[in-house]
Every structure is written in C-alpha cells, then in structure tokens.
Amino acid sequence: KLSTNLIKSYLDLAIKSNHIFLFTCKKEKEIIGYALFAKKPKYLISEFSNMKFKIFFNLINKLKFVQIINILISILKLDLIFLDKKYKEQVAKSLNLNLLAINNRYQSKGIGKFFFENSIKIIYENYFKFNLISLEAPTIEASNFYEKKLDFKFIGKKIRLFKNFFVFIKEQI
C-alpha cells in the first residue's frame, strides 16, 4: 500500500538493522522469494519509528484510512484482546516472521519450506538463539502452509478491520 520510495526506505532500514533479518530466495539471477524476521515483534515498530510520519502521510495521500486504523489498533495493542495472556507473553519474546513470500510459479514445490528452514538456521547459528517463532498469517491458504508444512501451532487471532490475522507459534528445535 506504500509508495515505491517508501518501500525502498523500509527495506534499507531493514538491511541496516541489528534487530531485523531480511532474506531473499534466488533461482539463478531471479529473486523468487523473500522473508523478513524480527528478533521480537516490538522491533517491527521501533526500528521503523523514524518513518512513521512518512508512512502516515503516504497512506493519507492514497486515502488508505483502513490501513491507518489497523496500524493504530496494532500500536495500541487492541488487536491482541482475544489472545490468551500466556500466548501474548510468548509472542512478545519470540522471533517473529513478519513476511514470507514465494513467487506463484514456484509455490507447492517445497521451496518455501526449504527457504524458511534455512533462514531460521542462519539466524539461530549466526545471530542469536531463540526458543519460539511467531507469525501472523493473513489468509487461510497461508495458515494452511504454516500449519501443515512448517508445523506451526494456531494460538488465536489478531483483530484488524475487515480481516483478522491468524496467530501461530512454533518451538525451535
């Protein structure tokens, strides 16, 4: 929903961050997937705080009021009211998978699972040790992938306007 320049700034900040991990999946010279992890979910807000006004005004310019309300719901933590307290604490301390995408042409070939497993292995062995991984899936299809292919456990929903996110956790073995 953001402008190309804002997305470039976002990615630049992610690359330079000590708390965000950005991975790409390539086949030959083509990027066919990407993943973005945060040491903890709170870093998804704190690392990009200096962009908040640019994001806000960009969304207003594009009349994306639902996205603005959803951001406010998230910042105020109103989105977590239906998540059990035990899970809220676990999610807050977990490695968070924020984005994982594989080009449609390469889906259902095991690439997403391979890419995910190698990404978390790199983080665990080279950057920091973690016990849990959390994520929010925006669709049933994504939820099925995380649950059936990557063995994540469904723990509840996060509230958003017009669409809820499915929250999952997985213990790091």
Side-chain angles (χ1 to χ4, degrees):
K1 310 286 185 202
L2 300 175
S3 70
T4 303
N5 286 339
L6 214 44
I7 292 170
K8 287 178 183 177
S9 295
Y10 179 90
L11 293 173
D12 191 47
L13 276 171
I15 290 165
K16 293 176 181 174
S17 173
N18 291 323
H19 303 292
I20 305 287
F21 306 97
L22 178 63
F23 293 88
T24 58
C25 181
K26 287 184 173 183
K27 182 174 180 179
E28 296 163 14
K29 293 183 180 185
E30 178 187 9
I31 293 177
I32 63 167
Y34 57 86
L36 185 106
F37 294 85
K39 278 186 179 179
K40 294 180 181 177
K42 70 178 183 180
Y43 293 123
L44 294 168
I45 294 173
S46 67
E47 290 295 287
F48 302 106
S49 65
N50 64 342
M51 292 180 62
K52 64 185 168 196
F53 293 114
K54 288 180 184 177
I55 292 170
F56 178 73
F57 290 120
N58 185 268
L59 291 172
I60 284 183
N61 275 348
K62 293 183 170 193
L63 303 174
K64 300 294 183 182
F65 299 113
V66 171
Q67 283 76 17
I68 292 169
I69 293 168
N70 282 334
I71 289 170
L72 290 173
I73 289 170
S74 179
I75 289 170
L76 297 172
K77 299 193 185 308
L78 297 174
D79 58 344
L80 299 172
I81 60 173
F82 294 121
L83 201 59
D84 186 277
K85 183 181 178 181
K86 169 181 90 169
Y87 291 129
K88 286 179 192 176
E89 292 170 4
Q90 288 180 337
V91 168
K93 296 176 183 176
S94 69
L95 174 70
N96 181 261
L97 172 59
N98 186 255
L99 299 167
L100 175 66
I102 299 293
N103 183 299
N104 289 342
R105 294 187 324 247
Y106 298 97
Q107 291 180 3
S108 298
K109 297 177 187 236
I111 293 170
K113 180 177 181 174
F114 176 81
F115 179 47
F116 170 80
E117 289 172 348
N118 280 285
S119 298
I120 62 169
K121 182 179 177 186
I122 290 167
I123 295 169
Y124 192 84
E125 291 178 356
N126 298 291
Y127 296 101
F128 80 105
K129 307 290 187 233
F130 53 90
N131 297 322
L132 282 174
I133 305 165
S134 65
L135 64 88
E136 299 153 22
T139 65
I140 295 292
E141 294 81 11
S143 296
N144 287 337
F145 170 74
Y146 293 120
E147 205 165 20
K148 294 175 181 163
K149 303 290 183 182
L150 300 180
D151 299 320
F152 274 84
K153 175 186 168 191
F154 173 77
I155 59 168
K157 292 182 181 179
K158 274 192 167 185
I159 299 170
R160 295 288 189 272
L161 281 186
F162 308 121
K163 181 180 187 178
N164 291 326
F165 281 65
F166 305 96
V167 183
F168 292 88
I169 59 172
K170 177 181 178 158
E171 289 187 37
Q172 172 61 15
I173 300 172

